[in-house]
């Protein structure tokens, strides 16, 4: 018997239904109902009228924004140097930047915590700074890889053309290299910004007691407020969708994202 | 042109050696170009033509030598400081800009006012027949259109020299022919100096005022298309430009040359007894009834080529390709003759391979870790072997480390083998020319030495071969 394409799709179809669609439906159900099962928008009204939850949203956004910016400023020069270098073994250099990802996450952050304690004495004095450092440390490879991929594939002759037409090296960078590497930047930014908004483990381990979106959801669920937690999860999903739509409008960005996952 | 005497650009003793592998891409390149000339660098891939162009553009810096523009050395200037623009092989249009911004790129960098830029962009777009394309994206254009935009983008800056690096290579045949004519007429209208790189000899002959034929980093010949075609300077040029029959021959008297088993009258007066290469263009061979020409042969192949037939005739061990409107049958006997001006004589170069062998402590000659049997006592007059030592005529022991022997061998005496380990040296075939009854190969060894080998059989370009140098065919001479 010939196995058709449809047959090959069955395992994933099952997975999709069980672990993607079903949970989404459940989340949506809880988000729009109250504890007794009645339809309501009260969960949303509650979130947007509570200064505490709004503060958490703002804090998460600022934290994610700063982390992303720091990552970008560190990652771009590194990716640029790596991609432009004529050195034959540059993949080894790249490996050095990516290798930390292979070490257990908790272990890495614990090590970082010890180092920061050595420097600062007490971690409690700089919770925001420590969190940014921790997240940068954690997410940097996700920024480097996509930018490196776009720069690596940049056609050398385009830079020669720019130079031929009268551009010095700074002008050539600003007018050719930078615009052509935006797909990589966009994909790097979305791979850092979104996790940075929700990854509360880093905060937890670095003794930053401020809530971010991830910890907020957790706190609702541990207080058995499934409706409130689901609502925030759904809200976050919408924010992420909007963000992805805005940055992913450039069709080529999608390809970079694929390239970055290797 | 009153200024015709002054050169716009001069290349003097340009040498380019690449740092990473030491490969010499361009070797002692000398050229003068007058304002308004259309100069073509022609040669097979890897001959150094693109490297030379890149040095003129400023993308590569010469290892030594000068590039003079209006008498001033620009060889070390970056590309953006040279009044020279380039049309790249694969166009190199900026994919993130529309056509207008691509063309305006150079003008914007010059801080030219907006309305003037707009005017100039429109003007060049008209020139390349693509009016109204300003807002199009690069990716929506066909190859031919992208080509025109690349030309427009370079020309809008009004360069002193326009460099074109195989610009038509990616186009189909019909488009290429059209663009050839268009480029030529553009050159005539604008009066800008064009330097054009191609491996297509027909393209070079059609478009150029001056052709520079290059091979292996060296200039083989500089001349007008007519010169290059009619009076090739050596076998390489003759073979590369147009179809040709090349034979080994010998001068037998005043304006008499013997080749292919016949004696012909030619126009070149070369000393009797000189070994020569004879070039015969296929269209110059005159077919006659058998016995009525200088030589006879048997037709072995006839191919219809549209305007003419391509006829292959075997005469003894030689093969002659003829273009004719007559159609002899395969197997038919024919006679062949040539007008004196249809015979081009080139003094044959000395292709003897020479290398230096050294002696080991047992007085055995070695080269490449292989032993060559040679009786050293015959090379050093009055010397003799005694107790394993070589004693010269003064009775002193000759230090084996000081013995250097030059070994020479003729191209026809070297044998080629599939087995790379079969002989003293191995290498890769980088060039071959058919010379009537044999092929003349250039074999490049791993140490970048070129050897000329003559062989009856056809090998392919790029084949790795072992070279067997029979000891009985070697000539030895002592080096001081």
């Amino acid at each position: 018997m010939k196995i058709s394409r449809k047959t090959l799709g069955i395992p994933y179809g099952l997975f999709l239904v069980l672990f993607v669609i079903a949970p989404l439906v459940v989340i949506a159900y809880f988000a729009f109902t109250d504890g007794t099962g009645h339809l309501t928008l009260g969960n949303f009204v509650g979130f947007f009228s509570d200064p505490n939850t709004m503060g958490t949203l703002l804090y998460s956004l600022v934290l994610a924004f700063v982390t992303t910016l720091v990552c970008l400023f560190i990652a771009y020069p590194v990716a640029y140097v790596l991609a432009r270098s004529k050195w034959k073994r540059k993949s080894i250099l790249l490996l050095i930047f990516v290798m930390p990802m292979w070490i257990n996450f908790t272990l890495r952050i614990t090590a970082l915590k010890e180092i920061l304690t050595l420097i600062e004495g007490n971690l409690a004095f700089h919770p925001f700074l420590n969190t940014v450092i921790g997240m940068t440390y954690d997410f940097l490879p996700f920024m480097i890889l996509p930018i490196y991929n776009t720069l690596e594939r940049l056609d050398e002759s385009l830079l020669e053309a720019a130079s031929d037409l009268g551009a010095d090296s700074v002008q050539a960078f600003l007018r050719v290299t930078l615009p052509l590497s935006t797909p990589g930047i966009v994909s790097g930014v979305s791979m850092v910004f979104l996790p940075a908004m929700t990854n509360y483990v880093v905060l937890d381990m670095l003794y930053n007691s401020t809530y971010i979106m991830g910890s907020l959801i957790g706190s609702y669920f541990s207080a058995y407020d499934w409706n409130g937690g689901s609502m925030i999860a759904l809200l976050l999903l919408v924010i992420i969708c909007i963000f992805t739509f805005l940055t992913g409008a450039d069709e080529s960005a999608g390809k970079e994202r694929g390239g970055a996952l290797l | 042109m009153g200024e015709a005497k002054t050169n716009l650009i001069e290349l003097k003793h340009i040498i380019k050696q690449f740092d990473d592998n030491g490969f010499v891409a361009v070797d002692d390149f000398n050229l003068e170009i007058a304002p308004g000339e259309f100069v073509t660098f022609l040669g097979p891939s890897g001959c150094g033509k693109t490297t030379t162009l890149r040095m003129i553009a400023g993308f590569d810096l010469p290892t030594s030598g000068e590039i003079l523009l209006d008498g001033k050395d620009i060889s070390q200037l970056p590309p953006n400081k040279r009044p020279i623009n380039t049309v790249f092989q694969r166009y190199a249009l900026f994919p993130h800009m529309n056509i207008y911004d691509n063309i305006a790129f150079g003008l914007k960098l010059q801080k030219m006012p907006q309305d003037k830029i707009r005017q100039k962009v429109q003007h060049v777009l008209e020139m390349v027949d693509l009016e109204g394309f300003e807002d199009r994206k690069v990716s929506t254009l066909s190859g031919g259109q992208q080509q025109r935009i690349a030309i427009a983008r370079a020309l809008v800056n009004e360069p002193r020299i326009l460099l074109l690096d195989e610009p038509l290579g990616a186009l189909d045949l019909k488009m290429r022919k059209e663009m050839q004519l268009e480029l030529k007429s553009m050159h005539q209208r604008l009066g800008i100096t064009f330097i054009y790189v191609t491996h297509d000899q027909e393209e070079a002959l059609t478009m150029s005022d001056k052709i520079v034929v290059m091979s292996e980093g060296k200039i083989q010949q500089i001349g007008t298309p007519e010169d290059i075609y009619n009076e090739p300077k050596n076998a390489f040029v003759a073979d590369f430009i147009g179809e040709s029959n090349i034979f080994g021959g010998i001068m037998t008297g005043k304006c008499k040359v013997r080749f292919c088993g016949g004696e012909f009258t030619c126009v070149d007066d070369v000393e009797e007894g000189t070994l020569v290469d004879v070039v015969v263009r296929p269209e110059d061979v005159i077919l006659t009834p058998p016995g009525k020409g200088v030589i006879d042969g048997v037709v072995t192949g006839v191919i219809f080529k549209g305007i003419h037939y391509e006829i292959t005739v075997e005469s003894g061990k030689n093969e002659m390709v003829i273009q004719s409107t007559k159609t002899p049958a395969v197997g038919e006997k024919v006679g062949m003759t040539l007008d004196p001006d249809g015979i081009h004589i080139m003094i044959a170069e000395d292709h003897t391979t020479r290398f230096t062998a050294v002696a080991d402590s047992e007085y055995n000659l070695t080269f490449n870790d292989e032993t060559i049997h040679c009786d050293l006592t015959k090379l050093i007059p009055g010397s003799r072997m005694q107790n394993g030592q070589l004693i010269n005529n003064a009775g002193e022991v000759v230090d084996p480390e000081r013995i250097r022997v030059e070994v020479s061998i003729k191209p026809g005496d070297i044998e080629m083998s599939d087995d790379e380990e079969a002989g003293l040296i191995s290498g890769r075939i980088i060039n071959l020319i058919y010379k009537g009854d044999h092929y003349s190969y250039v074999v490049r060894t791993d140490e970048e030495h070129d050897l000329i080998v003559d062989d009856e059989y056809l090998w392919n370009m790029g084949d790795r071969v072992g070279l067997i140098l029979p000891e009985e065919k070697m000539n030895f001479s002592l080096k001081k």
Side-chain angles (χ1 to χ4, degrees):
Chain A
M1 193 189 81
K2 237 178 94 178
I3 298 172
S4 72
R5 284 187 197 201
K6 274 183 191 160
T7 329
L8 288 172
I10 287 177
Y12 180 67
L14 276 174
F15 176 88
L16 198 69
V17 171
L18 277 175
F19 298 107
V20 180
I21 297 175
L24 268 177
V25 172
V26 173
I27 288 175
Y29 168 77
F30 278 109
F32 289 104
T33 53
D34 59 17
T36 57
H38 290 102
L39 271 180
T40 176
L41 286 175
N43 301 325
F44 286 88
V45 177
F47 178 85
F48 284 106
S49 54
D50 184 346
N52 283 329
T53 49
M54 283 309 281
T56 303
L57 178 64
L58 191 70
Y59 186 80
S60 303
L61 283 171
V62 171
L63 181 68
F65 182 75
V66 173
T67 303
T68 307
L69 215 60
V70 172
C71 278
L72 185 61
F73 274 103
I74 297 175
Y76 200 95
V78 170
Y80 184 83
V81 171
L82 280 179
R84 295 280 104 193
S85 104
K86 297 227 174 356
W87 196 44
K88 287 193 185 79
R89 302 222 177 81
K90 53 186 174 186
S91 55
I92 294 178
L93 271 177
L94 190 68
L95 203 65
I96 293 174
F97 285 95
V98 180
M99 216 155 46
M101 287 204 296
W102 301 349
I103 298 168
N104 178 277
F105 167 74
T106 350
L107 203 65
R108 261 184 296 155
I109 297 295
T110 312
L112 182 71
K113 186 167 76 183
E114 295 308 319
I115 294 171
L116 288 176
T117 314
L118 258 173
I119 298 169
E120 296 172 16
N122 188 339
L123 285 180
F125 293 146
H126 309 287
F128 186 80
L129 177 71
N130 290 342
T131 311
V132 169
I133 292 174
M135 286 194 168
T136 304
Y137 175 51
D138 205 30
F139 299 140
L140 192 60
F142 297 104
M143 188 66 96
I144 294 178
L145 277 175
I147 297 178
Y148 171 81
N149 280 334
T150 43
L151 288 174
E152 238 272 301
R153 270 183 288 136
L154 186 69
D155 186 356
E156 188 82 33
S157 68
L158 293 177
L159 295 178
E160 284 180 351
S163 166
D164 187 70
L165 294 166
D168 59 34
S169 48
V170 176
Q171 288 166 324
F173 175 80
L174 292 177
R175 283 163 194 257
V176 178
T177 311
L178 192 60
L180 284 175
S181 57
T182 37
I185 296 176
V186 164
S187 120
V189 164
S190 56
M191 290 187 72
V192 171
F193 190 83
L194 303 175
M197 264 185 76
T198 53
N199 190 332
Y200 62 90
V201 184
V202 178
L203 280 82
D204 249 16
M205 296 189 64
L206 293 173
Y207 304 135
N208 183 346
S209 53
T210 322
Y211 273 10
I212 60 168
M213 293 307 277
S215 28
L216 193 64
I217 298 172
S219 74
Y220 274 84
F221 276 91
S222 36
Y224 296 102
D225 185 355
W226 289 20
N227 304 89
S230 298
M231 180 272 306
I232 298 172
L234 200 65
L235 202 68
L236 213 53
L237 191 76
V238 172
I239 293 176
I240 289 169
C241 280
I242 292 171
F243 186 85
T244 313
F245 177 76
L246 287 179
T247 54
D250 187 347
E251 60 192 73
S252 53
K255 290 178 204 148
E256 298 316 319
R257 204 162 294 131
L261 291 174
L262 39 68
Chain B
M1 279 205 265
E3 295 171 320
K5 282 274 181 284
T6 54
N7 291 316
L8 174 62
I9 186 161
E10 274 179 53
L11 285 83
K12 287 187 166 175
H13 304 294
I14 293 293
I15 293 174
K16 176 68 187 177
Q17 182 169 23
F18 285 109
D19 297 333
D20 41 353
N21 53 12
F23 176 68
V24 179
V26 177
D27 195 1
D28 198 23
F29 191 100
N30 289 284
L31 182 68
E32 296 174 353
I33 298 173
E37 263 190 307
F38 194 128
V39 180
T40 300
F41 296 169
L42 174 66
S45 62
C47 73
K49 55 190 192 303
T50 294
T51 309
T52 309
L53 195 81
R54 289 175 59 82
M55 286 191 284
I56 298 174
F59 305 135
D60 284 330
L61 299 181
T63 311
S64 68
E66 286 182 315
I67 300 172
L68 302 177
L69 183 77
D70 295 327
K72 279 193 231 46
D73 187 11
I74 59 159
S75 63
Q76 302 301 316
L77 287 181
N80 54 324
K81 297 271 190 285
R82 304 187 188 199
I84 296 171
N85 287 117
T86 309
V87 177
F88 291 83
Q89 195 166 7
R90 280 188 301 277
Y91 323 136
L93 297 176
F94 304 120
H96 58 299
M97 297 179 191
N98 64 17
I99 298 308
Y100 178 87
D101 288 332
N102 258 286
I103 297 176
F105 190 90
L107 302 177
K108 282 181 184 166
L109 287 169
Q110 293 169 29
K111 305 261 184 301
M112 194 176 274
Q114 281 294 332
D115 51 336
K116 208 168 166 204
I117 294 181
R118 185 152 289 280
Q119 206 182 323
K120 278 182 174 261
V121 171
Q122 258 161 18
H123 178 71
V124 285
L125 276 175
E126 261 166 52
M127 205 161 67
V128 296
D129 260 341
L130 289 176
E131 300 100 320
F133 271 64
E134 283 93 338
D135 297 326
R136 295 277 290 269
K137 283 188 82 171
V138 173
S139 55
T140 64
L141 265 55
S142 71
Q145 288 168 334
Q146 291 191 25
Q147 176 62 74
R148 285 158 198 262
I149 297 301
I151 293 168
R153 185 179 69 173
L155 283 177
V156 80
N157 301 290
E158 293 168 12
R160 302 284 305 277
I161 302 173
L162 184 71
L163 306 178
L164 302 107
D165 184 7
E166 306 219 15
L168 310 184
L171 303 179
D172 62 53
L173 184 67
K174 190 162 170 281
M175 195 72 177
R176 202 153 66 217
K177 298 265 180 215
E178 266 176 49
M179 282 303 289
Q180 281 176 15
L181 297 177
E182 238 169 279
L183 274 174
K184 185 74 195 154
S185 78
M186 219 179 268
H187 170 251
Q188 279 157 355
R189 259 181 297 146
L190 297 170
I192 295 176
T193 306
F194 278 37
I195 304 180
Y196 193 95
V197 160
T198 184
H199 63 267
D200 182 338
Q201 44 103 4
E202 199 198 323
E203 206 165 281
L205 292 171
T206 315
M207 301 168 78
S208 327
D209 296 326
K210 190 196 265 179
I211 296 177
V212 180
V213 186
M214 293 180 72
S215 166
E216 288 158 46
K218 292 195 179 70
I219 294 180
Q220 301 295 321
Q221 187 170 1
I222 302 176
T224 63
E226 289 87 351
D227 283 347
I228 301 267
Y229 189 84
N230 293 329
E231 295 299 329
K233 225 163 136 186
N234 57 38
F236 172 83
V237 178
D239 186 53
F240 196 74
I241 308 282
E243 294 253 349
S244 44
N245 300 288
I246 303 174
F247 305 103
I250 184 165
M251 300 305 291
T252 50
K254 194 173 163 56
C255 296
K256 294 267 183 219
V257 62
R258 184 172 184 82
F259 64 94
C260 275
E263 190 175 65
F264 294 84
T265 308
C266 60
V267 289
D268 304 80
D269 185 8
V270 181
E271 199 188 330
E272 192 178 329
T274 312
L275 290 174
V276 292
D277 281 337
V278 181
V279 175
V280 176
R281 297 288 180 195
E283 66 270 25
D284 290 338
V285 184
I286 303 159
L287 284 173
T288 65
K292 297 283 165 95
V294 179
I295 50 172
D296 284 341
V298 177
V299 176
T300 55
V302 178
I303 300 166
F304 180 56
K305 289 268 183 172
I307 319 164
H308 56 75
Y309 292 89
E310 192 175 284
I311 303 151
T312 323
V313 178
E314 214 169 82
S315 167
K317 280 180 80 181
N318 290 294
E319 195 180 85
M320 178 90 85
V321 177
I322 303 164
Q323 288 172 4
S324 171
T325 46
K326 292 179 191 157
T327 52
V330 173
E332 199 180 317
K333 242 185 139 193
V334 291
M336 288 170 285
T337 186
L338 285 158
D339 284 337
D341 62 5
I343 297 171
H344 308 291
I345 302 285
M346 301 173 301
I347 310 241
E349 290 156 49
D350 177 14
H351 287 144
T352 306
T353 297
R354 292 189 171 79
F355 59 92
T356 305
V358 293
D360 64 12
S361 54
E362 264 101 54
Y363 296 98
N364 293 318
L365 271 191
T366 62
F367 180 76
N368 247 1
D369 296 330
E370 299 268 351
T371 307
I372 302 169
H373 299 287
C374 164
D375 191 354
L376 287 174
T377 55
K378 283 186 183 151
L379 279 181
I380 306 171
S383 63
R384 61 187 192 280
M385 288 296 285
Q386 195 177 348
N387 300 333
Q389 284 184 316
L390 189 69
I391 312 290
N392 68 9
N393 56 0
E396 296 157 344
V397 176
V398 181
D399 181 3
E401 283 188 18
R402 294 185 53 196
I403 298 175
R404 297 268 182 282
V405 176
E406 185 178 84
V407 184
S408 59
I409 185 160
K410 295 209 165 63
D413 292 335
I414 302 176
E415 289 165 27
M416 295 204 281
S417 164
D418 277 330
D419 179 9
E420 285 186 48
E421 306 294 325
L424 267 186
I425 3 178
S426 65
R428 193 169 53 85
I429 295 177
I430 58 163
N431 202 0
L432 63 97
I433 295 173
Y434 184 57
K435 289 204 174 171
D437 63 344
H438 69 272
Y439 294 88
S440 181
Y441 296 93
V442 182
V443 179
R444 178 164 288 171
T445 66
D446 298 333
E447 292 82 33
E448 299 274 321
H449 293 300
D450 292 347
L451 273 72
I452 313 287
V453 181
D454 289 346
D455 200 273
E456 242 183 282
Y457 301 103
L458 177 61
W459 297 73
N460 291 323
M461 286 284 274
D463 277 357
R464 302 264 335 170
V465 289
L467 297 177
I468 303 167
L469 316 178
E471 282 167 3
E472 64 275 14
K473 301 282 176 63
M474 288 180 179
N475 271 311
F476 301 99
S477 66
L478 205 60
K479 277 181 108 176
K480 290 288 169 229

